[in-house]
């Protein structure tokens, strides 16, 4: 029986969603193979929380926990932290130093994909298209006329390094830009401003399933809001249609690009890549490496559509990490 630490929480605005994701993993863990431990990674504390909600502090020296006088070491870590420090490479690097296997990609890939600017820049030479963009670092002078000249209106203002939809604004006039920039700076000290792509939004999961890089069924996103924001993503304000209502040719094209990105970056674990299809051309927006695992989340929906039950999905992730 392997001891599996399911890490959840994190230091970002997404910690509540991460706690739900982590508890879903705990719920669907194969109890015949694994003993699961819900480990909350929070700014103020790292603790194992048992079924009675009793907390036991994690020893950060070796990522162990002592329960009733017995020290427990973990055979593997299932990473369910959205945002920092689980999706930006910090936990991956820490666990690699301790030689503890974990289910997500390695620290370099995590740091790269978490930084939208750097991620899209690395893929651009391979012909993978993305929106026209403008970058700001906190403290930079803001020239709204220059921004509009480059990206046009409407445009999207986003935190550059953030795992979810917090801090994103759709800007329709030049006068709205300074406010949107301030909103984004509340989440991150780097900002990416992108041209508006008017098309069909789809998202595609790619995983290593039993040793084969596998493209999951593609989901089409139809947001009730102006775009696929936090409410649309997590509070039901969107239609998520799997499989997406796109042609077989486009399904193959989008899947091939997502798979190529996964392979080019030497990814492991889960990835969920977002695209907007404009005039039969897919434009990549971002890649999530710790996608939501709540029952409403997209990877679980796609996994079930592919005939992979959640227990199998999570077992596969653990077994690949342990190899």
């Amino acid at each position: 029986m392997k001891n599996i630490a399911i890490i959840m929480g994190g230091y970002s605005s997404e910690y509540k969603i991460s706690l739900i994701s982590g508890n879903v993993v705990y719920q669907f863990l194969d109890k015949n193979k694994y003993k699961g431990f819900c480990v909350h990674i929070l700014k103020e504390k790292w603790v194992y929380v048992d079924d009675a909600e009793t907390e036991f502090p994690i020893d950060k020296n070796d990522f162990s926990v002592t329960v009733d006088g017995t020290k427990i070491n973990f055979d593997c870590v299932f990473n369910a932290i959205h945002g920092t420090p689980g999706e930006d490479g910090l936990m991956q690097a820490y666990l690699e130093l301790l030689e503890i296997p974990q289910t997500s990609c390695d620290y370099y890939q995590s740091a790269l994909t978490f930084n939208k600017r750097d991620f899209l820049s690395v893929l651009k030479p391979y012909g993978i298209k993305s929106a026209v963009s403008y970058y700001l670092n906190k403290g930079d002078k803001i020239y709204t006329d220059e921004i509009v000249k480059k990206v046009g209106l409407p445009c999207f203002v986003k935190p550059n390094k953030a795992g979810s939809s917090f801090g994103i604004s759709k800007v329709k006039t030049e006068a709205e830009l300074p406010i949107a920039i301030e909103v984004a700076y509340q989440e991150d000290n780097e900002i990416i401003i992108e041209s508006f792509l008017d098309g069909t939004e789809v998202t595609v999961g790619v995983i290593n399933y039993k040793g084969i890089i596998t493209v999951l069924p593609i989901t089409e996103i139809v947001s009730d809001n102006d775009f696929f924001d936090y409410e649309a993503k997590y509070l039901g304000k969107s239609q998520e249609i799997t499989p997406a209502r796109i042609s077989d040719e486009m399904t193959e094209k989008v899947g091939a690009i997502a798979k190529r990105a996964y392979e080019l970056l030497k990814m492991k674990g889960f990835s969920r890549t977002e695209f907007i299809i404009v005039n039969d051309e897919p434009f990549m927006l971002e890649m999530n490496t710790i996608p939501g695992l709540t029952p409403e989340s997209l990877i679980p929906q796609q996994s079930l559509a592919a005939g992979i039950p959640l227990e199998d999905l999570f077992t596969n992730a653990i077994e690949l990490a342990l190899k």
Side-chain angles (χ1 to χ4, degrees):
M1 186 81 82
K2 302 280 188 186
N3 291 330
I4 309 297
I6 305 160
I7 58 173
M8 60 190 86
Y11 305 164
S12 75
S13 304
E14 300 171 81
Y15 78 95
K16 288 183 180 175
I17 299 298
S18 172
L19 293 174
I20 298 170
S21 287
N23 279 295
V24 170
V25 175
Y26 178 68
Q27 179 189 340
F28 283 94
L29 211 61
D30 185 340
K31 306 298 190 291
N32 296 315
K33 290 184 177 178
Y34 313 118
K35 182 167 173 53
F37 296 80
C38 292
V39 176
H40 293 196
I41 305 290
L42 305 169
K43 274 184 181 171
E44 64 275 13
K45 60 188 176 182
W46 290 19
V47 289
Y48 156 54
V49 182
D50 71 9
D51 291 343
E53 298 195 5
T54 307
E55 296 183 354
F56 302 87
I58 294 291
D59 183 345
K60 292 182 184 177
N61 292 299
D62 60 359
F63 200 69
S64 65
V65 66
T66 300
V67 179
D68 300 330
T70 302
K71 181 174 177 173
I72 298 166
N73 293 299
F74 300 112
D75 298 294
C76 182
V77 170
F78 195 109
N79 187 355
I81 297 176
H82 312 313
T84 188
E87 200 167 5
D88 58 0
L90 295 178
M91 288 301 296
Q92 289 87 343
Y94 164 75
L95 292 168
E96 185 165 320
L97 286 171
L98 294 175
E99 298 183 345
I100 301 173
Q102 54 89 29
T103 56
S104 63
C105 57
D106 293 334
Y107 66 91
Y108 169 74
Q109 285 79 3
S110 300
L112 177 66
T113 52
F114 198 66
N115 187 309
K116 295 181 183 75
R117 177 190 63 196
D118 294 355
F119 164 68
L120 295 170
S121 298
V122 164
L123 292 177
K124 194 173 184 178
Y126 295 96
I128 294 175
K129 295 183 178 178
S130 55
V132 175
S133 53
Y134 186 103
Y135 306 108
L136 283 173
N137 294 317
K138 196 153 195 176
D140 286 353
K141 283 196 170 181
I142 299 166
Y143 299 101
T144 56
D145 56 337
E146 193 179 284
I147 294 168
V148 170
K149 187 177 177 183
K150 182 162 188 195
V151 304
L153 288 170
C155 63
F156 282 101
V157 179
K158 306 176 180 179
N160 186 44
K161 306 186 302 293
S164 189
S165 300
F166 286 101
I168 299 181
S169 304
K170 184 177 180 181
V171 171
K172 296 172 183 173
T173 67
E174 187 176 333
E176 294 171 8
L177 269 170
I179 299 159
I181 287 166
E182 275 311 305
V183 168
Y185 275 143
Q186 287 171 20
E187 295 294 324
D188 187 22
N189 60 5
E190 296 176 7
I191 287 175
I192 182 169
I193 303 171
E194 293 180 328
S195 60
F196 171 62
L197 297 171
D198 191 7
T200 303
E201 182 164 1
V202 296
T203 182
V204 53
V206 180
I207 60 172
N208 182 332
Y209 188 65
K210 298 183 177 177
I212 298 167
I213 308 302
T214 302
V215 179
L216 297 174
I218 296 172
T219 301
E220 180 183 347
I221 307 294
V222 183
S223 177
D224 296 347
N225 294 352
D226 222 7
F227 61 97
F228 195 43
D229 60 4
Y230 179 85
E231 284 190 337
K233 191 174 282 188
Y234 294 119
L235 303 181
K237 300 252 178 117
S238 67
Q239 292 179 63
E240 294 157 3
I241 302 156
T242 309
R245 298 170 300 180
I246 55 178
S247 68
D248 291 346
E249 293 79 11
M250 185 54 63
T251 297
E252 197 170 308
K253 189 173 185 177
V254 171
I257 295 170
K259 183 180 179 183
R260 186 156 186 249
Y262 190 100
E263 291 173 335
L264 283 169
L265 298 178
K266 298 181 173 62
M267 286 289 298
K268 296 177 184 173
F270 301 101
S271 82
R272 198 192 73 228
T273 308
E274 323 287 343
F275 294 88
I276 303 263
I277 302 166
V278 183
N279 298 325
D280 289 333
E281 198 61 58
F283 289 78
M284 189 178 283
L285 299 179
E286 63 177 323
M287 180 187 284
N288 296 284
T289 60
I290 313 287
L293 297 171
T294 72
E296 295 77 31
S297 296
L298 295 162
I299 287 286
Q301 287 183 38
Q302 294 175 6
S303 173
L304 292 172
I308 304 170
L310 291 187
E311 184 177 293
D312 289 357
L313 186 71
F314 300 151
T315 295
N316 178 72
I318 292 165
E319 292 304 313
L320 286 173
L322 286 169
K323 279 187 176 178

